[in-house]
Amino acid sequence: MNVVFCIMLLAGVVYAAVSGRAELAQQALLSGAGEAVTLCLSLAGAYAFFGGLMGVLRESGAAGALARALRAPLSRMFPFAPGEERALEDICLNLSANMLGVGGAATPAGISAMRTMAQARGEGAPVSDAMILFLVVNTSSVQLLPTSMIALRAQAGSASPADIVLPTLLATAVSTAAGILACRLFAAWARRRGGTA
């Protein structure tokens, strides 16, 4: 990815030099870098608050309770191959953190879940239906509390930054349902295709 960004940056600089806009490109680069630093600093307080909120939810047992509540439905939803069910605890932690809008806290559990399922499959084995479904559900991620977006809206000066909670919940619920349905349909199609081959 670094190579792609370097190529894009170099192409932009070369085009600016050829078209006689090198000075404008330099100003844009410097102002963009300054704005990025300002944005990071302005968001630091909001992220610290929501990170602390996630810590409180963890310490109070609320995050763990959500993960335990997800355990039964997720064990029925995921078509685990033998051995892959060991990833269920990490999947529950990942999805509960995503539901609370703390994607950074969800990432380690998600990586651990994928690693556990890959080890159960064996080296060189193709990905399983459970792995694909987990990736889709993790990406669509039902949001009960979209903390990151609330923080961005607050820093941008929104009068009611939390107004997005209900629309975000509805949109992510629909996208997650659509993703699950698509995974089921493609898995059934692949099984039929494999059976007739």
Side-chain angles (χ1 to χ4, degrees):
M1 208 57 187
N2 289 338
V3 173
V4 173
F5 283 123
C6 286
I7 290 171
M8 289 172 60
L9 182 62
L10 184 61
V13 170
V14 169
Y15 177 77
V18 169
S19 62
R21 300 179 182 172
E23 187 175 340
L24 291 174
Q26 181 183 5
Q27 290 173 1
L29 285 170
L30 293 175
S31 65
E35 288 169 11
V37 171
T38 303
L39 177 63
C40 288
L41 290 175
S42 65
L43 288 174
Y47 278 115
F49 169 75
F50 286 117
L53 177 62
M54 185 60 185
V56 169
L57 291 172
R58 248 195 229 126
E59 290 296 322
S60 68
L66 180 57
R68 285 190 297 276
L70 290 173
R71 190 174 185 86
L74 289 179
S75 63
R76 288 190 293 272
M77 185 176 81
F78 281 90
F80 289 121
E84 288 184 333
E85 68 280 352
R86 290 182 288 119
L88 187 58
E89 184 175 342
D90 284 327
I91 290 174
C92 290
L93 288 171
N94 172 273
L95 296 181
S96 61
N98 273 330
M99 285 181 174
L100 296 172
V102 192
T107 301
I111 292 171
S112 177
M114 278 298 205
R115 188 175 291 132
T116 300
M117 288 190 281
Q119 287 170 350
R121 303 281 297 163
E123 189 174 344
V127 296
S128 67
D129 290 344
M131 294 170 78
I132 294 169
L133 181 59
F134 173 58
L135 185 62
V136 168
V137 171
N138 177 61
T139 303
S140 61
S141 177
V142 172
Q143 297 277 298
L144 298 177
L145 185 63
T147 53
S148 298
M149 287 308 301
I150 292 171
L152 285 168
R153 284 170 55 85
Q155 289 302 321
S158 172
S160 302
D163 279 354
I164 61 165
V165 171
L166 182 59
T168 301
L169 175 60
L170 294 174
T172 54
V174 169
S175 69
T176 301
I180 292 169
L181 178 62
C183 284
R184 293 290 169 90
L185 291 174
F186 278 111
W189 174 76
R191 280 194 298 273
R192 283 198 304 272
R193 188 179 175 199
T196 57

